[in-house]
Amino acid sequence: MPGPGEVGRGVRRETAPAKINLFLGVGPRRPDGYHELLTVFESLPEPHDDVTVTITPSDGGWVFRAEAAPPPSSSVQALPRDLENLAGRAAERFAAALGEPAGKPGAAVDIRVTKGIPVAAGMGGGSSDAAAVLRALQAHFGSPLDHERLLRVAAELGSDVPFFLEGGRAVARGRGHELRPLPRGSGLPLVLGLPRFALATPDVYHEFDRLGGPAGGGQAIWVRREEHLAGLTEALAAGDLPAVAGFLGNDLERAAVSLCPQVREILGALRRAGCLVARVSGSGPAVFGLCLGKDEAARIARVAARLLPPGLRGSVSFLPVVSGVGPRPGSDN
Ligand code: C5P
């Protein structure tokens, strides 16, 4: 491994997991355009993206290239350019944070992302890819950025990016980047509903505002949400799935359904198939249902597919999964 200040050649492969939001409380729009959040992130081993970062010493300063490809049997319709940009921007910001973006020698940083996570689905794929790039570069260069600095670089890239540096289970506040890790506990048996259509996050937040913003205002709502959060973390710690089900919620759900009414059908199929509860993840349109066990989740995934209205059957896949981060290779060669 090259020391700080040196650039050696290396190829690093990182697994970029998806996430869901077990709870997402949203406040009014702030003067900076963002909304105040209280959320609980939970990472998933599947679906995931594979991120390969190749670093080659270069005498010509720093050069960044990023490319994304859908997997052969893809549920991803189109890859937006900004996905490639976010992974590429992660490398640029990392180099800038090293304090020598224009310095010589530099490095050519080549990023290839193979998508497994549906794009613009509310599962954090682009943010996870950006975090994977930061992890790869930190590992390659011998951890030149301290944890605080790395978190700041991640937060500049996007609200969800800091969470994906570690993954697991965490409470987030502020814009979504002030993190408090929670004990990982046991994973949750889930069925994901993965639509082949997309929703742009800013559009969903705009719709949330248009529909009147948070229900109730002022500080009282945050007091209630903190109580809700305490209930959820207690139920998670106890592994009490029916109690967890009672605390899952998402303030963006109404806005996501308003923009994309098919989401209601997908939630309905999961509920009727036997999930304890089904919710939208993040800004949607991906959804998840909580089940009583792993085998039950596999059964519910099959039943939910049959319960979809015929017009939606080709556009949604149901995936049983137990939450938690899978093995994260982060290999070096
Ligand atoms: O931070 P990120 O770039 O992922 O956010 C994407 C968009 O989502 C923002 O431009 C904003 O419209 C919306 N957003 C928000 N409040 C947050 C996080 C995101 O309004 N806390």
Side-chain angles (χ1 to χ4, degrees):
M1 184 187 287
E6 288 174 52
V7 177
R9 187 177 193 285
V11 181
R12 292 202 59 93
R13 293 187 180 82
E14 294 279 338
T15 300
K19 62 83 182 162
I20 54 171
N21 301 74
L22 296 178
F23 173 69
L24 178 54
V26 183
R29 192 178 284 273
R30 313 188 310 197
D32 67 0
Y34 285 88
H35 293 73
E36 195 70 18
L37 303 184
L38 177 60
T39 189
V40 178
F41 288 119
E42 174 94 343
S43 55
L44 307 175
E46 296 296 336
H48 71 269
D49 292 349
D50 291 306
V51 179
T52 304
V53 182
T54 305
I55 300 124
T56 317
S58 144
D59 288 336
W62 290 82
V63 188
F64 308 98
R65 270 190 304 271
E67 219 177 80
S73 61
S74 172
S75 64
V76 178
Q77 275 188 328
L79 293 169
R81 302 289 311 171
D82 66 348
L83 164 90
E84 298 168 36
N85 291 345
L86 196 60
R89 264 202 345 257
E92 267 169 15
R93 292 288 171 89
F94 182 90
L98 288 181
E100 44 193 348
K104 289 183 184 182
V109 180
D110 203 325
I111 300 158
R112 271 162 220 267
V113 181
T114 302
K115 294 299 296 177
I117 306 173
V119 173
M123 304 195 83
S127 302
S128 189
D129 297 342
V133 169
L134 295 179
R135 283 199 305 273
L137 294 174
Q138 268 287 81
H140 179 78
F141 289 100
S143 299
L145 303 185
D146 64 34
H147 189 61
E148 284 306 308
R149 194 74 209 278
L150 191 65
L151 278 176
R152 276 208 302 281
V153 172
E156 280 166 26
L157 290 162
S159 309
D160 296 352
V161 182
F163 165 71
F164 282 111
L165 288 174
E166 297 280 333
R169 185 176 281 168
V171 177
R173 293 186 165 76
R175 221 182 83 202
H177 62 286
E178 293 161 23
L179 289 174
R180 177 167 65 86
L182 290 173
R184 293 190 181 202
S186 44
L188 303 173
L190 305 166
V191 178
L192 308 178
L194 306 174
R196 285 178 201 197
F197 35 85
L199 272 176
T201 303
D203 293 351
V204 179
Y205 276 99
H206 274 118
E207 185 67 1
F208 172 80
D209 295 338
R210 197 187 67 78
L211 293 173
Q219 275 311 304
I221 190 171
W222 292 108
V223 172
R224 275 204 307 280
R225 284 180 178 143
E226 290 293 345
E227 286 167 3
H228 193 101
L229 172 69
L232 174 58
T233 51
E234 211 171 289
L236 285 168
D240 181 344
L241 295 175
V244 169
F247 287 112
L248 302 185
N250 182 345
D251 284 350
L252 292 180
E253 194 158 300
R254 198 155 74 101
V257 167
S258 165
L259 292 177
C260 188
Q262 300 97 314
V263 169
R264 188 187 287 119
E265 308 281 355
I266 307 168
L267 289 169
L270 282 173
R271 287 172 189 148
R272 279 182 287 126
C275 285
L276 294 168
V277 66
R279 294 284 180 213
V280 166
S281 174
S283 53
V287 307
F288 65 96
L290 180 66
C291 309
L292 278 172
K294 199 173 162 211
D295 295 343
E296 176 77 343
R299 186 192 67 77
I300 288 175
R302 287 192 298 273
V303 176
R306 291 200 294 273
L307 293 177
L308 276 180
L312 266 181
R313 280 187 200 150
S315 332
V316 183
S317 53
F318 289 102
L319 180 69
V321 64
V322 177
S323 66
V325 202
R328 179 179 285 158
S331 66
D332 201 1
N333 52 32

